[in-house]
Amino acid sequence: GPLDSDETYIITGGEEENECIASGRYIFNITNSGGHGFGSLLGEKRGGYYLIYSNETMIGGSDSFFLNDEFSFSVPFYGDEPDGDGNVHCSNDFFMVFYSDDHPEQNTFELYHQETDQVIVRGGPYHEGPGSLYYTRACLPDGVYNLTLFDSNGDGVTYPGHFQVYVEDKFLDLQYKIGNSTSIPFVLADNPAPTSRPTVAGCENFLALIETDLDDAHKYYGHTVTWELLDIDTGEVFMQDGPVKHNANLTYNECVPPGRYSFNITNTRGDGLGPKGNYLIFSDTLMIGGSTKFGVNEEMVFSLPYNVDEISGREFDWCAGDFFVKLTTAGNPQLLSWKVTNETGGVFASGGPYMKPFDTYSQWVCLPNGAYTLYINSLDIFGSKGNKVTVFVESKLLVSVTDDDFGQSYSASFDLN
């Protein structure tokens, strides 16, 4: 059935499916109710699917989709339909990631094609959340498009839930404050307009988006938020701000020389950016990482230029899933901290101590390939502690422990390759 039909096609049978279908526009939808695509959540992913047109032309496919993957294309298929990139297949014309919040049933989207005055792709409402990953891909004809993201409750997606949008393998946008709806335009053409700002020769664009949600203690008792971007080799501070004592949506964009950098953010009160605060940092438009809550201090280390996940070998440009840590604090989290080091002992990321009991903190980190060690320290030596640390590496569970389990220190090794 074409997209304007409510009918669903289900192809069943052997390992290799071959079906003759009428001309039209189609959606291929594949789902794993366990949320781990073709493979075990804890094991190596070796599965995949490929869509082949007329026995010889690959339309597209995926080797990992977690909960759900939707793929949209036209039949007959005209070899990337065409967009001038020289590739026969078109799996990356349009790619969108939806990371769900507590109410995924409120979210939908539509992709409108101006030349044909039609909605080419639509999706949602979604069903699993929070923290479920949905992928949508499409092969598209050239033209002008408008992607509209909807939230039926009008309050947008609760961070860290978000939409990430890619056009022809280039990061286009990240959205979560969408209100009732927000629209994202883009063009597919033989020589499309760049989706990211060109980099000035000799320097790299660095972008920090910081939203603070600070209470009156910062205003009246001298507590402050400060941050800086430090060149590790020279010790030079290229960007910094603070003290910040009020609620604000802050944007910082600077062109800095190539090098290795540390992004460091501190709140002297120990409650990060507040209950609804968060930050995201980018190189040009590639997301390096971010956090919703970080306690007293958080640090991220990375290289500029930022080389698309630093040669991780992944298909797409985002790497927020390299390393993800979630901490659920108990009665006394002030003595809890963690760090990630490489083979030479260099610290690539760190967090803590955490000041607020019975709360949740999280952080994403993008890492280059290599061998790493996670260290968790809890200096509290009295009684039951109950602070829980859960860590995922490339979306696979690495460890979930409490400081009652390990006492004062814990370490775990992992590889990115």
Side-chain angles (χ1 to χ4, degrees):
L3 285 182
D4 57 1
S5 168
D6 291 332
E7 185 176 2
T8 299
Y9 280 77
I10 302 175
I11 302 175
T12 61
E15 294 182 357
E16 186 171 315
E17 302 298 341
N18 194 331
E19 191 83 5
C20 191
I21 57 177
S23 299
R25 189 146 185 96
Y26 290 86
I27 287 180
F28 176 85
N29 187 294
I30 188 165
T31 299
N32 183 321
S33 60
H36 45 75
F38 291 107
S40 167
L41 178 65
L42 302 180
E44 182 178 359
K45 291 181 174 70
R46 296 182 178 178
Y49 73 84
Y50 301 92
L51 305 182
I52 310 296
Y53 173 69
S54 193
N55 296 328
E56 59 185 22
T57 303
M58 186 175 79
I59 298 175
S62 175
D63 61 357
S64 176
F65 64 88
F66 292 89
L67 183 70
N68 175 269
D69 204 10
E70 283 195 354
F71 199 102
S72 176
F73 58 95
S74 294
V75 172
F77 178 64
Y78 296 110
D80 209 2
E81 306 193 10
D83 64 9
D85 63 10
N87 295 323
V88 175
H89 62 88
C90 73
S91 61
N92 302 334
D93 277 358
F94 172 82
F95 176 68
M96 187 176 74
V97 180
F98 175 54
Y99 186 77
S100 64
D101 65 2
D102 289 317
H103 297 285
E105 72 280 358
Q106 298 174 357
N107 298 114
T108 58
F109 77 90
E110 292 183 349
L111 182 61
Y112 170 79
H113 185 219
Q114 181 173 304
E115 281 75 1
T116 60
D117 191 28
Q118 290 184 344
V119 174
I120 299 289
V121 185
R122 56 167 51 92
Y126 302 93
H127 303 289
E128 301 293 332
S132 292
L133 281 167
Y134 289 88
Y135 298 165
T136 301
R137 310 162 195 264
C139 294
L140 302 172
D142 285 357
V144 179
Y145 289 87
N146 195 65
L147 171 67
T148 304
L149 310 173
F150 298 96
D151 187 279
S152 61
N153 197 48
D155 58 353
V157 184
T158 302
Y159 193 84
H162 63 272
F163 290 90
Q164 291 190 46
V165 182
Y166 299 79
V167 173
E168 294 187 314
D169 277 337
K170 297 177 181 177
F171 177 86
L172 179 63
D173 206 350
L174 183 146
Q175 290 281 348
Y176 62 98
K177 295 180 180 180
I178 62 176
N180 288 300
S181 66
T182 192
S183 294
I184 304 169
F186 64 90
V187 177
L188 284 177
D190 285 350
N191 295 291
T195 58
S196 60
R197 189 178 60 178
T199 300
V200 178
C203 70
E204 304 295 327
N205 293 318
F206 176 81
L207 171 66
L209 305 177
I210 301 175
E211 180 180 358
T212 61
D213 180 29
L214 306 177
D215 63 20
D216 288 341
H218 296 81
K219 184 187 304 182
Y220 298 119
Y221 299 106
H223 296 295
T224 60
V225 172
T226 58
W227 70 272
E228 67 177 17
L229 180 69
L230 174 75
D231 186 315
I232 293 175
D233 296 326
T234 66
E236 182 178 356
V237 176
F238 276 90
M239 300 171 67
Q240 63 180 349
D241 198 9
V244 177
K245 301 182 180 182
H246 57 278
N247 295 344
N249 290 309
L250 308 171
T251 300
Y252 307 88
N253 198 344
E254 291 288 341
C255 204
V256 299
R260 190 126 189 101
Y261 287 87
S262 166
F263 176 85
N264 193 297
I265 189 166
T266 299
N267 183 331
T268 57
R269 189 172 186 232
D271 58 356
L273 295 169
K276 298 181 180 179
N278 62 83
Y279 75 84
L280 295 170
I281 58 175
F282 298 79
S283 171
D284 201 357
T285 52
L286 300 180
M287 187 171 76
I288 298 171
S291 179
T292 53
K293 297 179 181 179
F294 60 83
V296 173
N297 176 265
E298 195 160 86
E299 181 183 24
M300 297 180 66
V301 177
F302 51 91
S303 295
L304 293 177
Y306 186 68
N307 296 318
V308 185
D309 206 2
E310 308 205 11
I311 321 298
S312 73
R314 288 175 190 76
E315 185 177 0
F316 298 102
D317 293 351
W318 63 297
C319 77
D322 273 1
F323 179 89
F324 174 72
V325 57
K326 177 180 179 181
L327 299 102
T328 304
T329 62
N332 187 18
Q334 292 88 349
L335 299 177
L336 182 68
S337 63
W338 62 271
K339 65 181 180 180
V340 173
T341 66
N342 66 357
E343 295 170 291
T344 62
V347 176
F348 274 70
S350 63
Y354 302 93
M355 304 300 290
K356 196 169 183 179
F358 307 107
D359 206 347
T360 301
Y361 299 85
S362 61
Q363 184 181 350
W364 295 265
V365 183
C366 294
L367 299 170
N369 288 339
Y372 294 90
T373 302
L374 164 70
Y375 295 96
I376 307 171
N377 293 297
S378 177
L379 300 182
D380 187 355
I381 61 175
F382 299 103
S384 177
K385 294 172 283 189
N387 298 297
K388 184 178 181 180
V389 182
T390 303
V391 176
F392 292 84
V393 173
E394 294 184 314
S395 301
K396 301 174 185 177
L397 180 67
L398 175 68
V399 65
S400 182
V401 295
T402 69
D403 47 5
D404 289 318
D405 298 329
F406 63 79
Q408 290 185 272
S409 63
Y410 179 87
S411 65
S413 298
F414 61 93
D415 294 320
L416 290 175
N417 49 52

